[in-house]
Amino acid sequence: MFYIIGLGLGDPKDITVKGLEIVKGCDRVYLEAYTSILTCGKEELEKFYGRPLILADRDLVELGANDILAGADEKDVALLVVGDPFGATTHTDFILRAKEKGIKFQVVHNASILNAVGCCGLQLYSFGETISIPFWTDTWQPDSFFGKIINNVKNRLHTLCLLDIKVKEPTLESLTMKKKVYMPPKFMTVSEAALQLLQIIDKRKEAGEDTGISEENLCVGLARVGSESQQLRVCSLKTMSTVDLGGPLHSLIIIGPYMHPVEMEYLEQFRICQQQ
């Protein structure tokens, strides 16, 4: 059997009882460390599970899926995923490959940022399409995702923004070399995301376009959701560009033009009052 097991968002104990029982009995267990991370680290997981884990980095996940699945038709193999297994399309591909090979599979679900984001008090059914904000470079500054924010605003919906992470990312210079050189891990913060959004707003205003939101638009910054060090802050987009929520992982919510009174009341406990 091939298992994809969600680990939740916080610490080693967030795994389900079913998931833990499977992990303890598998022949091989891989820890996916590409699409997201747990703040506790691989060593703490191994200590809690009482067994070694094989780190599945970007190269192994994208290029070595067949190696991970190898032998799963005869022995139990598991892939551990931060959050929920279907929180990233990468993991859907594993299921399709397993079906092609005639390998039985089982998915063990867990909490993901897509539902845990409700911790801020905004109602989940009031969210529109989720977007991802990528890191910009000097030569690559995409903003196509901004149109989805505008559509959500027009539909009076909130927008969850998933922020970019770079783990084992090769340098541009090394792509033409035989040996890859990797950049240090990099995780986008809410302040960096807010700053990029402000730049997009300014650029579109100059072009006479409808931006849908402004620097005064209310938003929520979230950090390390599900962990003991979880942080939430509510403020304007302009103020969010200066907020420090500490270490990864961060997410950003652009609040829609309408809030239920209960949503407004709950958000007040996280509000930053300056520069509103």
Side-chain angles (χ1 to χ4, degrees), residues 1-92:
M1 181 79 77
F2 175 65
Y3 297 94
I4 297 188
I5 301 172
L7 298 182
L9 298 171
D11 57 40
K13 294 181 180 179
D14 279 356
I15 191 171
T16 63
V17 174
K18 178 189 289 187
L20 183 58
E21 289 176 347
I22 294 170
V23 166
K24 289 182 177 292
C26 280
D27 184 68
R28 302 193 317 274
V29 180
Y30 295 87
L31 173 62
E32 195 265 88
Y34 164 40
T35 58
S36 189
I37 62 162
L38 277 181
T39 54
C40 62
K42 173 173 173 282
E43 292 73 20
E44 283 194 43
L45 292 175
E46 290 178 325
K47 183 179 179 180
F48 184 71
Y49 300 155
R51 62 160 304 142
L53 303 177
I54 303 168
L55 197 64
D57 59 17
R58 178 175 183 172
D59 291 341
L60 184 56
V61 171
E62 290 189 337
L63 304 175
N66 290 333
D67 294 332
I68 292 176
L69 290 168
D73 53 340
E74 299 177 351
K75 297 181 179 180
D76 290 338
V77 177
L79 177 66
L80 307 183
V81 176
V82 176
D84 185 80
F86 289 140
T89 54
T90 301
H91 310 129
T92 308

